[in-house]
Amino acid sequence: MEIFFGAFTSEWEQLRVALLHEMTSGGRGASAEEEMRRRLKQLAQLGAAGGGGSGGASGGGGSASKVRGAPRAQAKPATAANRPMETRLAAVAKGSQPAVVKMASYGGGARVGAMLNYVSRGGELKVENESGRILEGREALARIRGDWDHLFQNRAESRDIGSFSVEIAASGFASDTALHEQVKSTLTSGFGDRRYAYAIDKIEGGSVSVQGLVVLRSGQGERLTGDAKAAGMIQARYDVSAAAGEVAAKFSFHGYGNGVEFGASRLRGLVDRHDDVRDDRGQSIANEKVAGDLVQREWRGELHSRKSRDVMHVIMSARAGTDVAAFAGAVRDFLAHQFAGHRYVFAMHDPASDPKEAGEGGKRPHVHAHAIVAMKSDSGNRIETTPAVFREWRSVMAEKAREHGIEMEMTDRREFATPPAFTRTQVRPVSREGRTEHVGTSEAAQARYDAKRSGRRTVAKSDRSRQYIIKVQKSWQKLALAGGDRQTVAYATQQQKYLESSISTAQTETSGTVIRADFGSNFRINLATLQEMVLEGQELREMSRAEFETYEKKVETALFKLERSVSADDRADFDEIAGLARDFVNQKRELVDLYEQRKEALAEQGGEAPRSDPREPANDEWDAAVAKHGEAVVEAGNQAMIQIEHYREGLDRIEAGELSADRKDGMQAGLQQAMEKAAQLAVEGNSYLRDVADQDLRHAIDRAEKQAEVDRQDDGRADVIKAVQTVIAERIDRLNERLSDIAEDSYATRSEISAERQFLADMNGQLDKIGPADVLDLSRTETDYGYDEEEAASARESGVDYVPSLERDRHEHESHVDSVAPQLEQLRAHGVTIDTDFKIAAPPSQRDFDAYMNELAKEFAEAEPDLGDTREAHELATAVDATNRLEDRLNKDKEAAQHSGETTRTDPAQQHIPRLEELEREQMQQRERDRDDRDR
């Protein structure tokens, strides 16, 4: 197009047109842009090939990443790599069914029986194991639990939520508000910062009965056990609180459970039984949906729930009408290939032979198989479960199905613009007849469920998924243009339209809403970001000064990030790219200057400047954030969010198999550090981060605030320790007074008091030296020698129940810990870590026992009695004599057993160690009594 400059009378118009002419007709602007595009493409190719420092895989070039992937491919050949996308999509277009392999759930060893019962329909269906053996009936299934037991960790599930009741001695409330305030005050005084929900059960006889649920783990990490012992701890805490001075209350627990499913179910039941249910913040829980949302959204992060993953439940499905025998063979081959070396069983659920009725969830119209697989193999290897592995499962399943004559392909939801699946925790079943119907546990979960069941078209929005979808579009387009089978062409054309429509909708929804750039240390990501940032202004021929400054800042930030990831070999190329990018930005600056000159000229002439193009929403949001929080605050917050997004993107790529799994620990550690840094900024006053924080960051901010509160409380830590020591010292004095009043022959009572005094003295001694990072160790370790026949016989003669010494020791330790529970709570509240576990050690071997006996005899032989204390010398000699007699008796028993032909056992000798230890304790206690006599 030819431009006549004489048609423009104003100087600024002539300059503007000249500049635009150069930029659009091959002048300096266009050439600079073209050169920059060319250089960016070259540098991108370098990055893809492994150059550019960290541009390839971590720690090396692209070839290294290929080598890392090779062993996995050789160990389990993945068919996805050998079966091109176009081949798979063409097969689906011709009618091949998708491979469906779903991870249904995990379970601990204790749940194996229930899972097998479900799979086998209570033993009515045949079950096949990994060796091809058919198991029928309940007895055969029951033996599986024992056969697999050595593969289980058998970790106990965490106790997450407890069911409680409280009786409050109060009446005559002026209003419902006053009543609920009193109930909340009582519960909070007992439970502390734990989340809870409650309902007032009844009010009669001057008391209020309350029922509810409470999260058993506190914000400081203390987890209640949800039993009578926990109720005692809560009761003791309440009794010393200020609230106890106003009203009396009695706490009790009635049960506990694991996970959000248990909590949501129990809370819905509470709502169903009572008209007025409220949470710890006074908010009403009006219906089952609100109850589910409370547990799923708010309590979930507080639970820190733990479940054992000893087995997994895998489901493989095929379309209705698929040959059952062929599908069973494909399932058998798939399991043998994918889980070689692992124990597993599977059963086929065929609607024709399913004994379970349709109304109860049976006789599903499609054939499917259920498998229970042990996570750990006999050689100790555990099954890896990641999205990349699940994709491999589908690929292998499709391959085995084709080998058995079933047309089946591995598919990806991104290839058909289908929505993501919903999880078990996002929905709950409401009808199992035919296809199970669900309702969502939250609004977001319901929306996800509705999208999946309605087949609503949607596309994934991550950068990696967008690149994948571009490849998918090209493949569908090739199939549509290839001609041939009319059905294939029509199907491919339809899928291409679905993708285009979904992408257009997604772009409309998200355009201009992101104001945080996603820069990471990865070379290719930074390179693409730079290209987007620099070329962002090619359509913005008119910018305000503020818009241009934001745009310039983005480009400079992109250059800075890219510079950090460029190797020394590519430094020259980077310098050229940076120069071209800055030239492009300078041209934009000239345009901005020209527009400002024009506005000034129009203002002088009294004219009105034409309306500028609509501002970018992202710039509006940025300006609004700066106006609200200040530029420095937004910049700092933005950088923190960039780091978080970088590590999240890295973890996504690892799960998708694009990066090595070896980098996962480093990425997780980096994400944790970035989260903590952002949370600390928010705690220190960065209000912008609080505005843009997602749920994970909000939890991190909450933790940082609690830690800051703990740090502030550390100033009073020494005072609290000193106060606790004073209380403990007073108790020791009272115990000493009781000892002096108790008769010498009351051995049992004196022993109990002496043990308690020693426990308190040890506690005070540790508190004297405890540092900020030290642990107050109140734990106790005892050896389990098993059944003691001598003690049991003695108990029978005395007419009392035999209680093993280990149980007596455990009870004594728990009573000691409970006696100082209020003091321990004070210490924990000020950051002191306390270990109160009762630990059990295995008994020593015969060799250790013999060495112990020799050492004990040596000590007795070398001991010199105090000449001034003839009584102690006499008792020491008596103890030595008793020990010698015991050893002689043991030797005689051993010889008699050998003469009679019996095999000599090493266990009986160990059973006498408690008696020896008891002799030692008696001697020590006698010495203490003698010293007390001398002191008096």
Side-chain angles (χ1 to χ4, degrees), residues 216 223-236 251 253:
L216 294 176
R223 188 183 293 274
L224 297 174
T225 51
D227 51 18
K229 179 181 176 182
M233 293 176 60
I234 295 299
Q235 189 68 54
F251 288 78
F253 280 103

Side-chain angles (χ1 to χ4, degrees), residues 68-90:
R68 280 196 299 270
R72 183 181 182 91
Q74 292 168 4
K76 286 188 184 294
T79 58
N82 301 327
R83 198 161 177 84
M85 181 187 295
E86 291 178 25
T87 303
R88 292 189 295 104
L89 297 183

Side-chain angles (χ1 to χ4, degrees), residues 146-203:
D147 294 341
W148 292 10
D149 188 68
H150 66 287
L151 303 174
F152 300 155
Q153 295 176 332
N154 288 318
R155 290 176 56 192
E157 293 183 343
S158 58
R159 302 181 184 185
D160 299 329
I161 295 176
S163 175
F164 70 86
S165 65
V166 182
E167 296 293 331
I168 304 174
S171 61
F173 296 100
S175 64
D176 284 347
T177 302
L179 170 61
H180 283 284
E181 286 299 325
Q182 180 61 64
V183 171
K184 282 176 54 186
S185 174
T186 301
L187 296 179
T188 302
S189 298
F191 294 139
D193 64 350
R194 293 177 174 86
R195 303 297 305 274
Y196 60 81
Y198 71 92
I200 298 175
D201 193 35
K202 59 183 177 179
I203 305 174

Side-chain angles (χ1 to χ4, degrees), residues 456-724:
R456 187 184 308 155
R457 301 293 172 175
T458 182
V459 293
K461 298 176 182 178
S462 68
D463 291 337
R464 181 181 66 254
S465 293
R466 284 198 292 267
Q467 295 300 320
Y468 185 85
I469 291 171
I470 290 173
K471 296 178 182 178
V472 174
Q473 284 182 295
K474 292 180 179 177
S475 296
W476 284 126
Q477 186 177 27
K478 289 181 180 178
L479 290 174
L481 297 177
D485 181 59
R486 180 178 300 177
Q487 177 185 349
T488 302
V489 173
Y491 189 89
T493 303
Q494 186 64 51
Q495 294 301 324
Q496 187 180 5
K497 290 180 180 178
Y498 285 152
L499 285 174
E500 290 175 353
S501 175
S502 301
I503 291 172
S504 176
T505 302
Q507 288 175 344
T508 302
E509 292 174 352
T510 61
S511 176
T513 60
V514 179
I515 64 174
R516 297 191 301 270
D518 183 15
F519 304 117
S521 59
N522 183 275
F523 176 77
R524 283 172 287 180
I525 293 176
N526 289 333
L527 192 60
T529 303
L530 172 65
Q531 188 170 9
E532 291 174 4
M533 291 294 101
V534 172
L535 301 181
E536 179 186 21
Q538 64 183 349
E539 300 300 330
L540 299 177
R541 297 308 185 188
E542 184 170 350
M543 282 185 179
S544 69
R545 177 66 62 178
E547 289 171 338
F548 170 75
E549 289 175 354
T550 300
Y551 166 71
E552 183 181 30
K553 188 176 296 182
K554 288 182 179 180
V555 173
E556 287 299 327
T557 304
L559 286 170
F560 171 74
K561 295 291 184 180
L562 180 62
E563 184 177 13
R564 291 195 305 177
S565 60
V566 171
S567 67
D569 295 337
D570 297 318
R571 181 70 193 190
D573 288 327
F574 167 78
D575 290 338
E576 287 189 41
I577 291 291
L580 291 168
R582 290 181 176 122
D583 284 345
F584 195 84
V585 172
N586 288 334
Q587 293 172 19
K588 303 301 175 187
R589 181 183 289 107
E590 290 182 26
L591 272 177
V592 171
D593 292 339
L594 287 172
Y595 283 120
E596 289 184 347
Q597 290 177 22
R598 178 199 178 201
K599 290 178 181 179
E600 291 174 1
L602 290 174
E604 291 176 358
Q605 298 173 8
E608 182 179 357
R611 188 179 302 273
S612 62
D613 292 337
R615 288 165 52 85
E616 286 288 315
N619 292 334
D620 289 339
E621 292 187 21
W622 179 272
D623 292 343
V626 170
K628 180 179 180 181
H629 305 284
E631 185 173 2
V633 172
V634 175
E635 284 287 354
N638 200 35
Q639 288 300 316
M641 292 303 300
I642 286 171
Q643 291 299 317
I644 291 173
E645 294 302 327
H646 158 60
Y647 288 112
R648 284 174 171 170
E649 177 72 16
L651 289 171
D652 287 344
R653 298 181 66 191
I654 290 171
E655 291 183 358
E658 296 182 8
L659 295 178
S660 170
D662 297 339
R663 302 179 61 182
K664 186 173 183 178
D665 291 342
M667 282 288 183
Q668 288 177 333
L671 177 59
Q672 181 67 24
Q673 185 177 3
M675 280 282 191
E676 292 174 355
K677 182 179 178 181
Q680 190 60 38
L681 281 175
V683 171
E684 292 172 357
N686 192 304
S687 54
Y688 170 73
L689 277 172
R690 291 182 182 273
D691 279 1
V692 301
D694 56 16
Q695 185 175 7
D696 291 340
L697 182 53
R698 282 197 297 271
H699 284 313
I701 293 172
D702 290 342
R703 290 193 296 270
E705 287 178 335
K706 291 176 182 177
Q707 184 59 47
E709 181 63 26
V710 171
D711 293 341
R712 284 193 292 271
Q713 292 174 351
D714 281 347
D715 295 338
R717 187 171 185 265
D719 294 336
V720 171
I721 291 176
K722 185 175 180 180
V724 169

